[in-house]
Amino acid sequence: MKTPNRYASLTGAAVAATLALSGCGGAAPAADGTKAPSVATKTSGILNVGIDLTYPPYDMLTDGKPAGFDVEVMNAISADLGLKPQYSDTRFAQIVAGIKADRYDVIASTLYVSSARSKEVDFVPYFQTGNSIVVPKDAAALTDAQSLCGKKVSVVTATVIAKIMPTTESDKCKAAGKEAITVQEFPTDPEATQALLSGQVDAQMTDAAVAKTVIEKSNSRLKISSGALIYPVAVGLAVRKGNTALQDALTKSVENLKTSGSFAKILKEYNLEPVDPAVLAESLKQG
């Protein structure tokens, strides 16, 4: 999981390698020329997507090809628009600068919606993520942040939840006459998971999609015990400021995918949710 939950840009130089989509599994097929493009893009018939392919399970390379949640979504959107997707692998710290410089048509890289970013790009909100609680398979369910009062919880170092759990959330615990949450920080999610498997902690809290991957790799030893996403945040596709034609086309395409039911299937696969208007409004207040 990238830190801190993609609210802040990462340091590092941009890597601009354009990767043509070829045979990525689990997604709608690319446009095959039978459907005319419904919106103009930088290169006729191509939807060039800025993406950081180092953030599994959202954005990654599998067998050398773009894969993950955002890739599945953009493959489906591209097909709906009559376009062929092409992926420009760009490190996250430089991804907004890249679209402002007109290097690609759209950003699809788990870009959190915020007040500051809305001044730099135009958003098309398409899903919301947040955090989930992971516990041993036979453990009692811990359903929300307050159910962690008095528990030991593993998290990734320097994330938003690493700051909230021992402060704001623990203050709520104490106000309710309960013990504070004991937070143990680890450099990576796999290390936080290992602490849970070895009994060092009672639970792990991590990004919802990452939690889904943790469960799949645990050989049925772990489960997600929380229900709704914890600390949800809206995520948006982003286009260059003022590119209303593409913004409108993407918005319509997302709605088409919702109507067909294909978007709901992708969200479920990754343990994610559609955008709640209240969550979007709150996200737009953040810096």
Side-chain angles (χ1 to χ4, degrees):
M1 179 170 64
K2 288 198 174 178
T3 57
N5 279 354
R6 289 208 161 188
Y7 277 117
S9 294
L10 304 178
T11 58
V15 176
T18 299
L19 302 170
L21 178 69
S22 175
C24 291
D32 58 8
T34 59
K35 183 177 181 180
S38 58
V39 65
T41 53
K42 282 174 53 60
T43 302
S44 180
I46 301 292
L47 184 64
N48 194 304
V49 182
I51 189 169
D52 183 347
L53 293 168
T54 65
Y55 189 43
Y58 292 98
D59 315 300
M60 56 191 174
L61 287 170
T62 299
D63 297 328
K65 299 175 183 178
F69 172 80
D70 283 316
V71 173
E72 291 197 36
V73 171
M74 293 314 297
N75 290 351
I77 286 176
S78 296
D80 183 66
L81 294 175
L83 300 169
K84 180 179 179 180
Q86 207 170 58
Y87 294 93
S88 294
D89 188 13
T90 305
R91 295 295 75 82
F92 194 74
Q94 302 298 324
I95 207 160
V96 170
I99 201 157
K100 291 171 71 175
D102 205 25
R103 294 186 190 129
Y104 26 80
D105 300 298
V106 58
I107 296 171
S109 198
T110 320
L111 187 67
Y112 287 11
V113 173
S114 72
S115 174
R117 284 179 179 155
S118 68
K119 296 173 183 176
E120 296 188 280
V121 298
D122 287 334
F123 277 115
V124 177
Y126 64 127
F127 78 99
Q128 65 186 37
T129 186
N131 294 275
S132 292
I133 299 171
V134 178
V135 298
K137 183 179 180 181
D138 297 326
L142 300 171
T143 57
D144 55 25
Q146 278 298 288
S147 68
L148 297 174
C149 297
K151 304 291 185 182
K152 295 179 181 179
V153 184
S154 62
V155 302
V156 172
T157 302
T159 54
V160 170
I161 57 175
K163 298 175 182 178
I164 293 177
M165 300 298 285
T167 54
T168 304
E169 209 62 63
S170 285
D171 288 344
K172 292 180 184 177
C173 293
K174 296 172 184 177
K178 303 174 185 178
E179 294 183 13
I181 302 167
T182 300
V183 174
Q184 293 189 17
E185 297 186 35
F186 296 86
T188 66
D189 275 296
E191 290 170 280
T193 302
Q194 187 55 45
L196 176 59
L197 289 169
S198 63
Q200 297 177 51
V201 297
D202 303 300
Q204 175 185 2
M205 185 183 283
T206 188
D207 175 272
V210 174
K212 181 78 160 31
T213 301
V214 166
I215 301 306
E216 292 169 351
K217 292 182 177 179
S218 74
N219 295 320
S220 302
R221 290 178 292 171
L222 302 173
K223 66 181 179 182
I224 294 175
S225 66
S226 50
L229 295 178
I230 300 169
Y231 312 131
V233 60
V235 183
L237 304 175
V239 300
R240 195 177 183 189
K241 203 74 179 168
N243 190 352
T244 55
L246 183 54
Q247 182 184 28
D248 291 345
L250 291 169
T251 299
K252 182 178 179 181
S253 187
V254 170
E255 290 305 314
N256 289 344
L257 297 182
K258 290 178 181 178
T259 300
S260 71
S262 59
F263 194 57
K265 291 179 182 178
I266 299 174
L267 289 173
K268 183 177 181 180
E269 178 186 352
Y270 287 89
N271 191 35
L272 301 170
E273 297 177 352
V275 180
D276 183 318
V279 171
L280 175 59
E282 188 61 34
S283 297
L284 284 168
K285 295 179 184 176
Q286 303 303 318

